[in-house]
Amino acid sequence: MTEMPSATRLATDIRAGRLTAVSAVTAAIADIEARDTRINSVTRIFGPGAVAEAEKIDRRIAAGDDPGPLAGVPFGVKDLFDVAGEVTTAGSVVLRESRPATQDATVVARLRAAGAIPVASLNMDEFAYGFATDNAHHGITRNPHDPARLAGGSSGGSAAAVAAGLLPFTLGSDTNGSIRVPASLCGVWGLKPTFGTVPRHGAYPFAASLDVVGPFAGTLEDLQMVYETMYGADMPDLPSVSTLRVGRLGGWFADNVSEPLARAIDAVSTHLGGAETVVLPEAARARAASFLITAAEGGNLHLPHLRRHAQQYDPATRDRLMAGALQPAATVIQAHRFRSWFRAQVHAVFRNADVLVAPATVGEAPRIDQPTIMVDGQSVSARANLGLYTQPLSLAGVPILSVPLAISGGLPLGLQLVAAPGREAALFAVAAELERAGLAGRVPLPMAKGR
C-alpha cells in the first residue's frame, strides 16, 4: 500500500515539475477506487472535472505560472459543501434531485484558487446529525485502523479518508464535535476554528448558531496551510510555548476517561509543565443546552422538508429533527440564556490560561456491532454520547484543535487543545511542541506498522 504524500510535499513536487497534477489526481482516484471499499469514506468521485482541473494546473506550470501553494493537491469535501457542477446532498436522498451547485462554497473556491483540486465527496451522518457516520443511504464509514469499529461523525468520511492515506486533507463541519470526534477516533489532525471566522457560505447548514467548517489533515503542517487558505490570511507568528500558560480541564472532562487516555493526558500535561487543573462550571448543563439548541435549530430548518418528504429521511434523523421542531419556545430561550452565561465563564478562564487540554472522546473507537461507550458506569449509545466532551465547548465558540496522540500504542486516542477566540496560533504552537516531543502525530495504520 502506497499512501498519498503530504499536501506540502505533493505541491512542492508538482510546482517543481517532478510530478504532474494529472498524475497526482489520477493516482488519488485510482487509490480510492481500489481501497475505499474497505472503509466506505467516499460517496462520489468528481473524476472528469478533477482531471480537467489538473490539466489546467499542469499547463500553467509549463507556461511558467505559479498555480499556488497547494498546486495540484487532491482533496475531498464532506457532502455538504457546494462544488460547482455537483449536487450537494448533505448525506440524504431528500436532496438528491436538487440542482447542481452553480459555484463552489467559499472555502472550496479559496482552496481552488490556491491550486488544490476537489476529487470526491465524503460520507457523513445524514444532515450532519450524529457522531457515527452510520448513513442509511450510503452505508456506514468504517475506521481504517479497524474496520470493525466506528470512524465517528458526523464528518466520519473526511477523517477516514485522511487516516487511510487516500487524501492528504479533507473538509468537514463541526456543530457539536463533528470534526473533533472522528479526528480523535481515526488518529488524524482536525481543527474547529473560532466561530464565525471561516466562511460557511455554500455549506449546507445544520444549527446556524453553532456550525463551523474546518479541515482534517495527516500532518500538522498541512492542517495549518489548509486552515490559513480557508481563513483567507496567514496566522500571526506562532508564539513560543514557554510563554503560554497551559491548563488542564478537570471535573466533567476528567470523569469517564479511559485509563489509557488518562495516562496519555497526564504525559502531555507533564511535558507542558504540569498544567494546572481548571474546572468549568455547569458543563453538564452546557451539554444539555447544546443538545436543545441544535435540535431546535435543525428541526426548524428541516420542517418544510419534513412536511413533504418525511419518509425519505433516516428514521433516526427524522425523529430527532421533529422532536427538535416541537420544543417549546420558552425551553429554547432558556437554553440560549444559559449559553450566554456559560460562554462568559469559558472566556473568563482565558484571563489566566492561554491553552486548555481536554479529552476529545472517552477513549478508543467503539465497535460497530456494539456501538456503545461507558458513561457513569452505564453502557450508553455511542451515536448520542460520543460528543460528551465536545458539546459543552461548542457553546463557547472557541477554536479547538484535535490532536492525535502518538503515545497510545493501540487504537487512536485524541485530545482537544482549546484557546480563546482568535487564538488559533497558540493552539498550533502547543500542537507543534507535542509533535516535536513525539507525543502527538497521525497514528499509522496497522499495515504501515508491518503487521
Side-chain angles (χ1 to χ4, degrees), residues 163-414:
L166 298 174
L167 295 166
F169 76 88
T170 58
L171 302 188
S173 65
D174 190 309
T175 304
N176 281 304
S178 289
I179 288 175
R180 292 163 283 162
V181 168
S184 171
L185 298 184
C186 290
V188 299
W189 300 93
L191 178 68
K192 172 198 169 301
T194 301
F195 178 81
T197 59
V198 176
R200 299 180 304 187
H201 180 73
Y204 197 89
F206 178 19
S209 72
L210 293 168
D211 291 346
V212 174
V213 298
F216 295 84
T219 71
L220 185 61
E221 182 181 25
D222 283 356
L223 190 78
Q224 180 175 339
M225 179 182 288
V226 174
Y227 162 65
E228 290 177 332
T229 303
M230 296 172 70
Y231 178 64
D234 292 344
M235 285 189 300
D237 291 341
L238 301 190
S240 168
V241 174
S242 64
T243 68
L244 297 175
R245 300 161 299 170
V246 180
R248 175 177 180 172
L249 284 179
W252 176 269
F253 298 91
D255 295 339
N256 298 298
V257 179
S258 69
E259 289 187 13
L261 180 54
R263 288 195 300 270
I265 295 177
D266 284 343
V268 165
S269 298
T270 298
H271 180 76
L272 295 174
E276 181 179 345
T277 298
V278 176
V279 177
L280 294 179
E282 302 285 6
R285 288 183 67 194
R287 184 177 181 234
S290 183
F291 263 124
L292 292 170
I293 293 169
T294 300
E297 293 186 5
N300 282 282
L301 172 70
H302 282 273
L303 203 51
H305 283 308
L306 287 166
R307 286 172 172 152
R308 296 193 305 269
H309 307 294
Q311 297 308 311
Q312 293 183 9
Y313 280 76
D314 176 345
T317 306
R318 179 190 64 222
D319 294 350
R320 286 179 295 158
L321 288 171
M322 292 180 72
L326 294 172
Q327 284 188 85
T331 301
V332 180
I333 291 171
Q334 186 177 6
H336 276 287
R337 285 175 177 164
F338 173 82
R339 176 187 183 173
S340 296
W341 176 85
F342 183 75
R343 182 168 49 206
Q345 303 307 304
V346 175
H347 291 186
V349 168
F350 293 110
R351 296 172 190 157
N352 300 308
D354 297 299
V355 174
L356 302 174
V357 177
T361 60
V362 298
E364 64 187 26
R367 291 185 59 85
I368 292 172
D369 60 3
Q370 191 178 359
T372 59
I373 58 174
M374 295 300 295
V375 176
D376 296 336
Q378 301 293 319
S379 180
V380 298
S381 165
R383 181 168 182 165
N385 291 284
L386 277 170
L388 193 71
Y389 303 130
T390 58
Q391 288 167 302
L393 296 172
S394 292
L395 283 186
V398 294
I400 306 174
L401 199 155
S402 184
V403 177
L405 292 167
I407 56 178
S408 60
L411 289 167
L413 298 170

Side-chain angles (χ1 to χ4, degrees), residues 40-54:
N40 191 39
S41 67
V42 173
T43 56
R44 194 174 349 131
I45 295 174
F46 311 141
V51 173
E53 189 83 9

